[in-house]
Amino acid sequence: MLNTGEPIQRVVIKVGTNVMTNKDNRIVGTILKQLVDQIAILYERGIMSVLVSSGSVIAGKEVLSTGVDIEEETIRRQVYSAIGQPRMMRHYYNIFQDYGMRCAQVLATKRDFDPGKHRENMINCYEGLLSEGVIPIANEDDAVSLSMSTFTDNDELASLVAELIGADMLILLTDTNGLYNGHPDDEHTRLFKHVTVDQKVEHFIQESEKGEAEGRGGMESKLCVAKQAAKKNIPTIIANGKLENVIVDIVDGKEVGTRFTL
């Protein structure tokens, strides 16, 4: 078991699209429930979570199953996201309510994290929600984001939120077990359990067959974000979000996934 140091009070959890969807690219409600179940366990321990959730584009496509007749990719994504966001929040709201918990949506563009009034307002919002025991669910405001104020992906958003609220840990959940020194399916490939910020592992990144079909992130993005967060003294773990009890195990210091530290 890893030494987690000081007691953990705040955790940012990013859930990728491939974690919450099945092979038909549809949202799986039972997976969302498993995620909330773990957040509820942490809540009972006095640990507050911020959930950075993908899935809005997929949720929008499920409503518009025949697709939209828009050639411009950015506008098409905005339409899907605008439709899918409230649908995702309805999923989460109902599940959290089953646990007697409350959640709130916090949308942002990248410029909201720049120094100044926007950043101060973001801090006030998060601090207000967390102090009331409300679980913030963060996502990019795709409907209004411009190219210059768009996050690279939700991994970047999660790291910025972690820094903003002074998180004790950042967890990036994907559909692989972490960072490998080769292709995960190769017989002799091994998982990196611990990586330091100055450790050169970028050349080990391999493209999986599945890839990030609907998301914008990938292992390259996660590795970059994990190192950046670790440099700010926020331990970051890349792990498989479909593993049973993965979030609680990580917070408990078990050797799950790949852990990034200074």
mmCIF file of all heavy atoms in Angstrom, residues 186-208:
data_model
loop_
_atom_site.group_PDB
_atom_site.id
_atom_site.type_symbol
_atom_site.label_atom_id
_atom_site.label_comp_id
_atom_site.label_asym_id
_atom_site.label_seq_id
_atom_site.Cartn_x
_atom_site.Cartn_y
_atom_site.Cartn_z
ATOM 1 N N ASP A 186 0.379 -6.780 -25.406
ATOM 2 C CA ASP A 186 1.599 -7.559 -25.614
ATOM 3 C C ASP A 186 1.954 -8.344 -24.355
ATOM 4 O O ASP A 186 1.810 -7.848 -23.230
ATOM 5 C CB ASP A 186 2.764 -6.641 -25.998
ATOM 6 C CG ASP A 186 2.573 -6.037 -27.383
ATOM 7 O OD1 ASP A 186 1.711 -6.537 -28.121
ATOM 8 O OD2 ASP A 186 3.288 -5.067 -27.719
ATOM 9 N N GLU A 187 2.455 -9.551 -24.558
ATOM 10 C CA GLU A 187 2.696 -10.478 -23.451
ATOM 11 C C GLU A 187 3.669 -9.936 -22.410
ATOM 12 O O GLU A 187 3.487 -10.133 -21.204
ATOM 13 C CB GLU A 187 3.213 -11.808 -24.023
ATOM 14 C CG GLU A 187 3.476 -12.867 -22.968
ATOM 15 C CD GLU A 187 3.997 -14.157 -23.582
ATOM 16 O OE1 GLU A 187 4.081 -14.225 -24.834
ATOM 17 O OE2 GLU A 187 4.316 -15.089 -22.806
ATOM 18 N N HIS A 188 4.708 -9.271 -22.859
ATOM 19 C CA HIS A 188 5.768 -8.849 -21.937
ATOM 20 C C HIS A 188 5.612 -7.390 -21.477
ATOM 21 O O HIS A 188 6.488 -6.849 -20.804
ATOM 22 C CB HIS A 188 7.137 -9.043 -22.595
ATOM 23 C CG HIS A 188 7.416 -10.466 -22.982
ATOM 24 N ND1 HIS A 188 7.575 -11.469 -22.049
ATOM 25 C CD2 HIS A 188 7.527 -11.048 -24.208
ATOM 26 C CE1 HIS A 188 7.794 -12.617 -22.675
ATOM 27 N NE2 HIS A 188 7.768 -12.395 -23.986
ATOM 28 N N THR A 189 4.526 -6.773 -21.833
ATOM 29 C CA THR A 189 4.301 -5.384 -21.427
ATOM 30 C C THR A 189 3.988 -5.318 -19.936
ATOM 31 O O THR A 189 3.263 -6.150 -19.404
ATOM 32 C CB THR A 189 3.127 -4.779 -22.224
ATOM 33 O OG1 THR A 189 3.486 -4.725 -23.599
ATOM 34 C CG2 THR A 189 2.820 -3.364 -21.748
ATOM 35 N N ARG A 190 4.534 -4.316 -19.267
ATOM 36 C CA ARG A 190 4.226 -4.152 -17.842
ATOM 37 C C ARG A 190 3.669 -2.752 -17.590
ATOM 38 O O ARG A 190 3.936 -1.798 -18.328
ATOM 39 C CB ARG A 190 5.467 -4.381 -16.976
ATOM 40 C CG ARG A 190 6.558 -3.331 -17.132
ATOM 41 C CD ARG A 190 7.722 -3.618 -16.196
ATOM 42 N NE ARG A 190 8.786 -2.631 -16.346
ATOM 43 C CZ ARG A 190 8.822 -1.469 -15.706
ATOM 44 N NH1 ARG A 190 7.820 -1.154 -14.896
ATOM 45 N NH2 ARG A 190 9.822 -0.627 -15.888
ATOM 46 N N LEU A 191 2.906 -2.667 -16.524
ATOM 47 C CA LEU A 191 2.277 -1.407 -16.120
ATOM 48 C C LEU A 191 3.225 -0.611 -15.229
ATOM 49 O O LEU A 191 3.817 -1.167 -14.304
ATOM 50 C CB LEU A 191 0.987 -1.707 -15.360
ATOM 51 C CG LEU A 191 0.210 -0.511 -14.789
ATOM 52 C CD1 LEU A 191 -0.470 0.259 -15.910
ATOM 53 C CD2 LEU A 191 -0.828 -0.993 -13.770
ATOM 54 N N PHE A 192 3.372 0.662 -15.501
ATOM 55 C CA PHE A 192 4.101 1.543 -14.593
ATOM 56 C C PHE A 192 3.218 1.818 -13.380
ATOM 57 O O PHE A 192 2.127 2.374 -13.514
ATOM 58 C CB PHE A 192 4.452 2.868 -15.281
ATOM 59 C CG PHE A 192 5.572 2.790 -16.271
ATOM 60 C CD1 PHE A 192 5.308 2.718 -17.624
ATOM 61 C CD2 PHE A 192 6.892 2.793 -15.842
ATOM 62 C CE1 PHE A 192 6.342 2.645 -18.550
ATOM 63 C CE2 PHE A 192 7.932 2.726 -16.755
ATOM 64 C CZ PHE A 192 7.659 2.646 -18.109
ATOM 65 N N LYS A 193 3.668 1.463 -12.199
ATOM 66 C CA LYS A 193 2.897 1.727 -10.991
ATOM 67 C C LYS A 193 3.168 3.118 -10.440
ATOM 68 O O LYS A 193 2.299 3.719 -9.806
ATOM 69 C CB LYS A 193 3.206 0.666 -9.929
ATOM 70 C CG LYS A 193 2.740 -0.731 -10.316
ATOM 71 C CD LYS A 193 3.009 -1.732 -9.202
ATOM 72 C CE LYS A 193 2.506 -3.115 -9.592
ATOM 73 N NZ LYS A 193 2.769 -4.118 -8.521
ATOM 74 N N HIS A 194 4.372 3.641 -10.674
ATOM 75 C CA HIS A 194 4.752 4.951 -10.141
ATOM 76 C C HIS A 194 5.672 5.659 -11.127
ATOM 77 O O HIS A 194 6.652 5.084 -11.598
ATOM 78 C CB HIS A 194 5.456 4.785 -8.792
ATOM 79 C CG HIS A 194 5.762 6.075 -8.116
ATOM 80 N ND1 HIS A 194 6.783 6.232 -7.216
ATOM 81 C CD2 HIS A 194 5.172 7.303 -8.234
ATOM 82 C CE1 HIS A 194 6.823 7.488 -6.783
ATOM 83 N NE2 HIS A 194 5.852 8.147 -7.395
ATOM 84 N N VAL A 195 5.341 6.891 -11.447
ATOM 85 C CA VAL A 195 6.141 7.707 -12.358
ATOM 86 C C VAL A 195 6.385 9.058 -11.696
ATOM 87 O O VAL A 195 5.463 9.661 -11.148
ATOM 88 C CB VAL A 195 5.432 7.916 -13.717
ATOM 89 C CG1 VAL A 195 6.217 8.867 -14.607
ATOM 90 C CG2 VAL A 195 5.222 6.582 -14.426
ATOM 91 N N THR A 196 7.623 9.535 -11.738
ATOM 92 C CA THR A 196 7.939 10.868 -11.234
ATOM 93 C C THR A 196 7.932 11.860 -12.386
ATOM 94 O O THR A 196 8.047 11.466 -13.558
ATOM 95 C CB THR A 196 9.309 10.892 -10.535
ATOM 96 O OG1 THR A 196 10.319 10.477 -11.467
ATOM 97 C CG2 THR A 196 9.317 9.955 -9.333
ATOM 98 N N VAL A 197 7.813 13.133 -12.073
ATOM 99 C CA VAL A 197 7.636 14.148 -13.114
ATOM 100 C C VAL A 197 8.837 14.249 -14.045
ATOM 101 O O VAL A 197 8.705 14.667 -15.200
ATOM 102 C CB VAL A 197 7.335 15.529 -12.491
ATOM 103 C CG1 VAL A 197 5.994 15.510 -11.778
ATOM 104 C CG2 VAL A 197 8.445 15.955 -11.532
ATOM 105 N N ASP A 198 10.033 13.883 -13.560
ATOM 106 C CA ASP A 198 11.226 13.992 -14.396
ATOM 107 C C ASP A 198 11.577 12.673 -15.096
ATOM 108 O O ASP A 198 12.587 12.568 -15.782
ATOM 109 C CB ASP A 198 12.425 14.474 -13.573
ATOM 110 C CG ASP A 198 12.724 13.586 -12.377
ATOM 111 O OD1 ASP A 198 11.914 12.676 -12.104
ATOM 112 O OD2 ASP A 198 13.761 13.805 -11.725
ATOM 113 N N GLN A 199 10.723 11.685 -14.939
ATOM 114 C CA GLN A 199 10.964 10.381 -15.561
ATOM 115 C C GLN A 199 10.502 10.413 -17.013
ATOM 116 O O GLN A 199 9.354 10.777 -17.314
ATOM 117 C CB GLN A 199 10.209 9.293 -14.786
ATOM 118 C CG GLN A 199 10.603 7.871 -15.137
ATOM 119 C CD GLN A 199 9.961 6.875 -14.176
ATOM 120 O OE1 GLN A 199 9.496 7.253 -13.097
ATOM 121 N NE2 GLN A 199 9.919 5.613 -14.572
ATOM 122 N N LYS A 200 11.379 10.039 -17.936
ATOM 123 C CA LYS A 200 11.084 10.105 -19.364
ATOM 124 C C LYS A 200 10.347 8.828 -19.799
ATOM 125 O O LYS A 200 10.968 7.785 -20.020
ATOM 126 C CB LYS A 200 12.376 10.269 -20.174
ATOM 127 C CG LYS A 200 13.208 11.477 -19.786
ATOM 128 C CD LYS A 200 12.444 12.775 -19.989
ATOM 129 C CE LYS A 200 13.323 13.977 -19.646
ATOM 130 N NZ LYS A 200 12.575 15.252 -19.762
ATOM 131 N N VAL A 201 9.042 8.936 -19.906
ATOM 132 C CA VAL A 201 8.236 7.766 -20.276
ATOM 133 C C VAL A 201 7.367 8.043 -21.507
ATOM 134 O O VAL A 201 6.615 7.166 -21.934
ATOM 135 C CB VAL A 201 7.332 7.329 -19.095
ATOM 136 C CG1 VAL A 201 8.168 6.802 -17.933
ATOM 137 C CG2 VAL A 201 6.439 8.470 -18.638
ATOM 138 N N GLU A 202 7.501 9.239 -22.058
ATOM 139 C CA GLU A 202 6.616 9.617 -23.166
ATOM 140 C C GLU A 202 6.725 8.664 -24.356
ATOM 141 O O GLU A 202 5.738 8.413 -25.061
ATOM 142 C CB GLU A 202 6.930 11.048 -23.618
ATOM 143 C CG GLU A 202 6.398 12.136 -22.706
ATOM 144 C CD GLU A 202 7.189 12.286 -21.408
ATOM 145 O OE1 GLU A 202 8.271 11.651 -21.279
ATOM 146 O OE2 GLU A 202 6.746 13.053 -20.529
ATOM 147 N N HIS A 203 7.917 8.125 -24.589
ATOM 148 C CA HIS A 203 8.105 7.278 -25.766
ATOM 149 C C HIS A 203 7.439 5.914 -25.626
ATOM 150 O O HIS A 203 7.370 5.148 -26.585
ATOM 151 C CB HIS A 203 9.600 7.094 -26.058
ATOM 152 C CG HIS A 203 10.364 6.432 -24.949
ATOM 153 N ND1 HIS A 203 10.664 7.073 -23.766
ATOM 154 C CD2 HIS A 203 10.877 5.174 -24.847
ATOM 155 C CE1 HIS A 203 11.349 6.254 -22.984
ATOM 156 N NE2 HIS A 203 11.481 5.097 -23.606
ATOM 157 N N PHE A 204 6.914 5.609 -24.432
ATOM 158 C CA PHE A 204 6.240 4.337 -24.224
ATOM 159 C C PHE A 204 4.765 4.366 -24.641
ATOM 160 O O PHE A 204 4.098 3.328 -24.667
ATOM 161 C CB PHE A 204 6.317 3.911 -22.752
ATOM 162 C CG PHE A 204 7.681 3.476 -22.319
ATOM 163 C CD1 PHE A 204 8.351 4.167 -21.316
ATOM 164 C CD2 PHE A 204 8.302 2.390 -22.905
ATOM 165 C CE1 PHE A 204 9.608 3.775 -20.903
ATOM 166 C CE2 PHE A 204 9.574 1.982 -22.497
ATOM 167 C CZ PHE A 204 10.218 2.681 -21.491
ATOM 168 N N ILE A 205 4.270 5.571 -24.911
ATOM 169 C CA ILE A 205 2.843 5.685 -25.234
ATOM 170 C C ILE A 205 2.535 4.921 -26.526
ATOM 171 O O ILE A 205 3.164 5.111 -27.541
ATOM 172 C CB ILE A 205 2.423 7.156 -25.387
ATOM 173 C CG1 ILE A 205 2.585 7.885 -24.049
ATOM 174 C CG2 ILE A 205 0.975 7.269 -25.864
ATOM 175 C CD1 ILE A 205 2.341 9.362 -24.133
ATOM 176 N N GLN A 206 1.539 4.067 -26.440
ATOM 177 C CA GLN A 206 1.123 3.292 -27.605
ATOM 178 C C GLN A 206 -0.342 3.606 -27.912
ATOM 179 O O GLN A 206 -1.153 3.759 -27.011
ATOM 180 C CB GLN A 206 1.263 1.785 -27.339
ATOM 181 C CG GLN A 206 2.686 1.341 -27.051
ATOM 182 C CD GLN A 206 3.541 1.351 -28.302
ATOM 183 O OE1 GLN A 206 3.045 1.085 -29.395
ATOM 184 N NE2 GLN A 206 4.808 1.649 -28.139
ATOM 185 N N GLU A 207 -0.672 3.653 -29.178
ATOM 186 C CA GLU A 207 -2.067 3.840 -29.579
ATOM 187 C C GLU A 207 -2.813 2.510 -29.415
ATOM 188 O O GLU A 207 -2.386 1.476 -29.944
ATOM 189 C CB GLU A 207 -2.160 4.300 -31.029
ATOM 190 C CG GLU A 207 -1.659 5.713 -31.250
ATOM 191 C CD GLU A 207 -2.539 6.744 -30.578
ATOM 192 O OE1 GLU A 207 -3.740 6.491 -30.418
ATOM 193 O OE2 GLU A 207 -2.008 7.798 -30.210
ATOM 194 N N SER A 208 -3.890 2.532 -28.666
ATOM 195 C CA SER A 208 -4.708 1.326 -28.540
ATOM 196 C C SER A 208 -5.608 1.199 -29.760
ATOM 197 O O SER A 208 -5.831 2.162 -30.486
ATOM 198 C CB SER A 208 -5.553 1.378 -27.264
ATOM 199 O OG SER A 208 -6.506 2.407 -27.364
#
